[in-house]
Amino acid sequence: MMDRIDQLIRLKATGTPLELASKLGVSKTKLYRVIRTMKALNAPMEYDVTLQSYVYVKAVGFKFGFHSRDTITNELQPFAR
């Protein structure tokens, strides 16, 4: 869900919190929990009343997921089944 929110924020297309919750198929309460978690992870986001969208106040990258460590090259590799 965070990756989808990130994508919509980058597009400045989240809409209002109620609209975003609807797009994601979750309650507004659940949406606020996820937003609170993203902010706790240092996402520099805020709601822009003029755009009616969440926006990032500075450029950031978002990467989330599980990775396995390749012991030979010592690089992170995406986890594949």
Side-chain angles (χ1 to χ4, degrees):
M1 180 182 317
M2 284 187 201
D3 55 340
R4 179 68 175 137
I5 294 171
D6 172 66
Q7 179 184 40
L8 290 169
I9 290 172
R10 290 178 193 285
L11 295 170
K12 297 180 180 171
T14 65
T16 66
L18 187 59
E19 291 168 338
L20 179 55
S22 178
K23 286 178 188 180
L24 298 172
V26 298
S27 69
K28 204 162 97 170
T29 301
K30 169 83 175 190
L31 171 67
Y32 284 133
R33 282 190 205 126
V34 174
I35 289 173
R36 204 169 35 248
T37 300
M38 291 176 75
K39 287 182 177 184
L41 294 170
N42 297 320
M45 59 193 286
E46 63 183 33
Y47 185 75
D48 186 312
V49 178
T50 305
L51 293 174
Q52 291 197 338
S53 179
Y54 285 95
V55 296
Y56 289 126
V57 294
K58 66 179 184 178
V60 292
F62 176 74
K63 188 172 185 179
F64 191 77
F66 294 96
H67 301 274
S68 63
R69 190 170 286 279
D70 185 333
T71 56
I72 297 171
T73 63
N74 206 26
E75 294 179 8
L76 292 177
Q77 301 293 325
F79 181 75
R81 287 182 155 204

